[in-house]
Amino acid sequence: MIVTVTLNASIDKAYYLDSPVVDGTVHRVSVVDNSAGGKGLNASRAITTLNYPVCATGFVGGNNGRYLVELAHKDGITSDFIYTEQETRSCINILEPNKQSTEFLEPGQPILPEEFLAFKAKLVQLTKDAEVVTFNGSIPKGISAENYKELIQETMAAGVPCIVDASGTLLTSCIDALPTMIKPNTDEIGQLLKREITTQDEIIEAAQELHKRGIKIIVVSLGAQGALMVSDEGTFIANPPKIEVINPVGAGDTLVGSFAVALAQRKPTSECLTFALSCATASCLSIGTGRFDQAVAAEIHKQVTIKKIAG
């Protein structure tokens, strides 16, 4: 079983428009897609799509929280959340005909100290049956970056591999916990090492530096150009085929979820990367956030190229 941690879950609303956004005017939404949101829930959908057991955990509250659990259940996701006194947030993604995506993300409501302690206890129990634990996304008020780091440290100490997909101070703080894998983009890996990183050689050097610190797998997402990975197997770059993107939101989360599945299946990291990249690319062809067609992913997998460039 894979456990996904989403501390700042949301109801995600994707609004599809038939015409471009014009400031100060009324817009009729042609299609609305509601989903249990937050990066960990998107990753959970990918894991469920791959028919692998998953348990999504974190915090939910109020009517939105109950609706989120209902939406997750409809997607086949098993969940075990801590219920809070505050209402779960909503996030809106507006998709225009030109494929432009604009997001409005509400902040998470405060978590009480006793609620966080209850979550820590729950995670300890869930970890006992976990093959991989993913820590995904942002945190609400009431939880600190140090708290986030503690959760990773405790999970790693239990001998369970951890994948971290976070940004900013969260990602910076968790590095000392030495999670099994991190998935920064080019900007985030530059922030981690406090220097500007733009070229492929600079990305390689940065990822290799983090690997030497003790992080076993560093996957740097490169958008449409694929991903670069440094692991014990060496340094690789993988490229997907060109596609006509329908909805890019959640593709990185799909990559994390499918990588976790491959990792749980003990595949070599190079195979984990090509498998995950094919699923993430397939998710860009689906209207639903974090969803994809396995048959499409299998066809894309045949077209993904991977090259070992060092090590």
Side-chain angles (χ1 to χ4, degrees), residues 1-275:
M1 178 182 74
I2 296 168
V3 173
T4 63
V5 176
T6 311
L7 300 178
N8 207 12
S10 65
I11 300 296
D12 281 2
K13 294 178 171 290
Y15 290 173
Y16 291 83
L17 305 183
D18 289 332
S19 57
V21 171
V22 179
D23 291 344
T25 62
V26 173
H27 297 85
R28 304 292 179 185
V29 178
S30 59
V31 176
V32 179
D33 181 74
N34 292 334
S35 59
K39 295 175 73 63
L41 272 302
N42 293 339
S44 297
R45 263 188 294 280
I47 296 165
T48 299
T49 298
L50 294 167
N51 300 313
Y52 208 84
V54 64
C55 181
T57 189
F59 299 101
V60 294
N63 291 326
N64 273 356
R66 287 186 285 273
Y67 183 42
L68 184 147
V69 171
E70 180 184 322
L71 289 170
H73 180 73
K74 286 181 179 179
D75 281 336
I77 299 170
T78 299
S79 64
D80 191 354
F81 288 96
I82 292 294
Y83 281 80
T84 71
E85 294 185 3
Q86 300 289 340
E87 192 81 21
T88 292
R89 66 184 182 140
S90 293
C91 294
I92 297 172
N93 178 28
I94 298 173
L95 297 118
E96 300 178 60
N98 63 1
K99 311 302 182 186
Q100 179 171 292
S101 171
T102 303
E103 295 183 84
F104 296 87
L105 311 180
E106 293 182 7
Q109 296 299 313
I111 299 298
L112 299 175
E114 56 267 31
E115 293 168 342
F116 179 68
L117 289 175
F119 174 75
K120 286 184 71 175
K122 183 177 290 293
L123 185 59
V124 168
Q125 292 301 313
L126 291 174
T127 297
K128 292 178 180 178
D129 298 319
E131 297 165 280
V132 179
V133 176
T134 71
F135 290 85
N136 313 74
S138 61
I139 52 175
K141 295 176 182 178
I143 297 178
S144 68
E146 188 63 26
N147 293 147
Y148 197 83
K149 175 182 171 181
E150 289 170 6
L151 293 173
I152 296 166
Q153 286 175 322
E154 291 176 6
T155 305
M156 291 291 292
V160 181
C162 291
I163 299 176
V164 175
D165 184 15
S167 59
T169 56
L170 280 187
L171 182 57
T172 301
S173 68
C174 81
I175 291 302
D176 290 339
L178 298 179
T180 308
M181 172 179 157
I182 59 173
K183 190 198 70 66
N185 59 28
T186 303
D187 289 338
E188 289 164 349
I189 200 169
Q191 291 168 8
L192 269 177
L193 298 174
K194 299 180 180 179
R195 62 178 184 260
E196 186 176 355
I197 293 173
T198 54
T199 69
Q200 180 172 298
D201 285 345
E202 289 170 341
I203 297 170
I204 293 170
E205 182 182 352
Q208 289 175 341
E209 182 177 331
L210 290 168
H211 183 255
K212 288 176 183 176
R213 290 189 189 181
I215 300 173
K216 291 185 177 180
I217 306 167
I218 298 93
V219 176
V220 184
S221 53
L222 305 174
Q225 303 305 311
L228 182 141
M229 181 185 73
V230 176
S231 71
D232 291 344
E233 290 183 47
T235 301
F236 300 85
I237 187 162
N239 303 108
K242 291 184 178 179
I243 60 167
E244 283 292 326
V245 174
I246 294 175
N247 179 15
V249 178
D253 305 327
T254 298
L255 188 147
V256 168
S258 49
F259 202 108
V261 169
L263 202 62
Q265 294 172 334
R266 301 184 182 278
K267 294 183 180 181
T269 54
S270 55
E271 291 184 24
C272 292
L273 181 62
T274 54
F275 175 74

Side-chain angles (χ1 to χ4, degrees), residues 246-309:
I246 294 175
N247 179 15
V249 178
D253 305 327
T254 298
L255 188 147
V256 168
S258 49
F259 202 108
V261 169
L263 202 62
Q265 294 172 334
R266 301 184 182 278
K267 294 183 180 181
T269 54
S270 55
E271 291 184 24
C272 292
L273 181 62
T274 54
F275 175 74
L277 190 58
S278 65
C279 295
T281 304
S283 76
C284 293
L285 298 172
S286 173
I287 288 180
T289 302
R291 299 181 177 93
F292 64 95
D293 186 314
Q294 280 200 76
V296 172
E299 286 302 311
I300 290 173
H301 190 268
K302 298 174 185 176
Q303 303 172 60
V304 171
T305 61
I306 186 168
K307 180 181 179 183
K308 188 174 185 178
I309 53 181

